[in-house]
């Protein structure tokens, strides 16, 4: 698997930062930004034709954990 592009990684880092801020102090502006970032990350061209790429990017999607 190739290395994710810088713009995608920046969007993911910002998504996590906004999510943390939103958990501490909810606001409409932060919710809107989180939604925009979610869309940007999920429709990024990097994911085209990459089965399991999202899980691989996030450490194997909780390997070994059971529901």
């Amino acid at each position: 698997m190739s290395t994710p592009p810088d713009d995608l990684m920046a969007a993911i880092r910002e998504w996590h930062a906004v999510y943390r801020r939103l958990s501490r102090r909810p606001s409409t502006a932060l919710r809107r930004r989180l939604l925009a970032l979610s869309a940007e990350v999920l429709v990024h061209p990097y994911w085209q034709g990459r089965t399991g790429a999202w899980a691989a990017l996030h450490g194997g999607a909780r390997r070994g954990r059971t529901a």
Side-chain angles (χ1 to χ4, degrees):
M1 178 181 291
S2 64
T3 303
D6 291 337
D7 64 327
L8 175 59
M9 294 306 299
I12 291 171
R13 282 191 297 273
E14 185 180 353
W15 187 96
H16 285 283
V18 170
Y19 188 86
R20 284 190 301 273
R21 288 174 42 209
L22 183 60
S23 70
R24 290 189 303 265
R25 175 171 250 161
S27 77
T28 300
L30 289 174
R31 281 191 297 274
R32 287 180 180 153
R33 184 62 186 142
L34 191 64
L35 286 170
L37 286 165
S38 295
E40 182 179 334
V41 168
L42 290 173
V43 301
H44 194 280
Y46 177 75
W47 306 121
Q48 297 282 325
R50 296 181 183 273
T51 305
W54 180 262
L57 185 63
H58 289 281
R62 301 181 190 112
R63 274 183 225 125
R65 290 180 66 181
T66 57

